[in-house]
Amino acid sequence: MRLPRRPLPRLVPRTAAACAAVALACLPALPAAASGPDVAFRISDPRITESSGLVASRLHPGVYWTHNDSGDGPYVYGIDAATGRTVATLTLRGVHPRDAEAISIGPDGDLYLGDIGDNLDGAWSEVWIYRFPEPRTLADQTVDATRYTVQYADGPRNAEALMVQPRTGRVYIASKKEDGGHLYEGPARLSASGVNVFHSIGDVPWVTDGAFSPDGSRLVLRGYFWATDYRWSGDRPHQAGQLDVPVQPQGESVAFTPDGRALMFGSEGKDSAVWRESLSGADLPDDAAASPSATPSTTTAPGTSSGTSSGASTGSGVTAPKASAGSKALGFLLLVVFGLGGFYVSKVLRRGRRNG
């Protein structure tokens, strides 16, 4: 079956997203909403300037694993959500990532790093996934990883979202296109000796990251200004609705908290903030909805614990403006306005070079 697909405006200039991200970073702070996501922590490590993936640790409460985009190296960082500090740096032995875009965790506790980005949008015939056990001790260390070669049945493409299904261990990738991409399903078991062909199982919006809930009953896919919630049954997603997301300079990551009761939204940038959005009602995964739990406050005093099972604490005590219908419209407007601006500036520059 094909997933329900929300139409997105087609943008002519390829620089639109980058221009919009710059514009958002330069905009003054919007008024805070009465309720909404709050800052769980800030990534303080100066080495992490392009946090592109996020996943909660299974072995170490309150720790989240992240990594940089292209240009860093074979590194994965463990961040303590209580302080925002790096408590472990993992170096993948013999790995030379080209464009690492996503990280996920399997039912056996192994971490999966997706070297799946392709900024040339289909120039590379294959991409890779690196799999390695989550370390039992939090310390700087070198780890051995298994490399899996990936190709898409319908040809090369760019992607930034990789998700491992917690019930089956099957790997899924969502491709990234301005006018919508596809959700790809990998083989039942990945092979380290051959090529793993991923097949499209449906259409998805413009996706920068995704995550399964810990119980595997939900899949969330996010873009820069929106997030879509899917119920997972029969090994297929079924769209459930839209979720609120914070307005961020360049929203690149999403992860569930270990209890499944909240989402963590990350962004690229120096000292980037990771926002926490509580889930409730129909948005809760099955296991979280079935287990009684007090709903934690979304706003706490600076430097105090938020009381979540993720171990996160808020460093700002403020709530983020949500990407509601109005802010999504603002996002699209920014993409169009700044994209067209970049387009016409480039035309003027080319004309000047010709006349010179």
Side-chain angles (χ1 to χ4, degrees):
M1 69 177 275
R2 299 179 73 81
L3 307 184
R5 177 175 171 183
R6 183 175 54 171
L8 301 175
R10 187 173 185 86
L11 303 176
V12 176
R14 290 278 179 184
T15 58
C19 293
V22 172
L24 279 173
C26 297
L27 284 176
L30 299 177
S35 64
D38 63 347
V39 173
F41 61 94
R42 290 185 178 274
I43 299 176
S44 61
D45 192 326
R47 297 172 297 176
I48 306 173
T49 58
E50 294 185 327
S51 175
S52 192
L54 192 70
V55 68
S57 168
R58 291 268 182 84
L59 298 178
H60 310 287
V63 170
Y64 286 81
W65 298 103
T66 189
H67 57 89
N68 278 314
D69 203 330
S70 58
D72 184 15
Y75 309 120
V76 174
Y77 307 91
I79 309 298
D80 179 5
T83 64
R85 296 175 181 171
T86 300
V87 292
T89 300
L90 309 182
T91 302
L92 278 59
R93 193 191 317 272
V95 169
H96 304 282
R98 184 169 52 194
D99 192 355
E101 290 286 356
I103 191 168
S104 187
I105 195 165
D108 56 0
D110 281 0
L111 290 166
Y112 291 70
L113 180 65
D115 190 4
I116 55 176
D118 185 348
N119 291 327
L120 301 178
D121 201 18
W124 298 323
S125 61
E126 61 186 34
V127 292
W128 304 285
I129 298 170
Y130 309 107
R131 176 183 179 179
F132 54 97
E134 181 178 15
R136 295 191 172 276
T137 59
L138 289 175
D140 294 351
Q141 55 194 287
T142 299
V143 299
D144 292 312
T146 301
R147 187 175 97 159
Y148 302 103
T149 300
V150 170
Q151 291 182 348
Y152 302 98
D154 50 0
R157 59 207 57 245
N158 187 28
E160 293 190 359
L162 177 145
M163 300 76 60
V164 183
Q165 224 292 334
R167 292 173 178 169
T168 65
R170 199 161 199 157
V171 181
Y172 295 83
I173 294 174
S175 63
K176 180 185 179 184
K177 290 284 288 184
E178 289 91 335
D179 55 355
H182 301 285
L183 182 65
Y184 291 87
E185 180 182 70
R189 293 290 180 268
L190 295 179
S191 169
S193 59
V195 175
N196 297 274
V197 179
F198 279 57
H199 296 267
S200 172
I201 60 172
D203 296 343
V204 295
W206 188 3
V207 175
T208 61
D209 199 17
F212 277 105
S213 60
D215 67 355
S217 69
R218 294 300 182 100
L219 171 67
V220 169
L221 299 176
R222 76 159 296 178
Y224 291 118
F225 306 106
W226 55 83
T228 304
D229 180 27
Y230 298 89
R231 294 185 181 277
W232 193 268
S233 63
D235 291 329
R236 289 295 180 269
H238 309 273
Q239 186 169 330
Q242 303 300 312
L243 300 172
D244 292 322
V245 299
V247 176
Q248 297 174 297
Q250 189 171 343
E252 288 277 347
S253 61
V254 64
F256 276 88
T257 54
D259 61 2
R261 304 190 70 86
L263 289 168
M264 307 290 273
F265 292 98
S267 173
E268 289 193 4
K270 183 180 179 181
D271 296 320
S272 61
V274 176
W275 294 84
R276 182 184 186 279
E277 168 71 28
S278 296
L279 300 173
S280 61
D283 293 333
L284 282 169
D286 293 349
D287 284 2
S291 60
S293 175
T295 302
S297 169
T298 59
T299 305
T300 60
T304 62
S305 172
S306 64
T308 70
S309 64
S310 68
S313 64
T314 179
S316 69
V318 299
T319 55
K322 293 182 180 180
S324 58
S327 58
K328 289 175 187 175
L330 171 64
F332 286 128
L333 180 61
L334 285 169
L335 289 174
V336 173
V337 170
F338 285 91
L340 289 175
F343 175 70
Y344 286 114
V345 167
S346 65
K347 286 187 65 177
V348 171
L349 291 175
R350 288 198 301 271
R351 186 180 298 117
R353 286 195 296 267
R354 286 198 301 269
N355 292 338

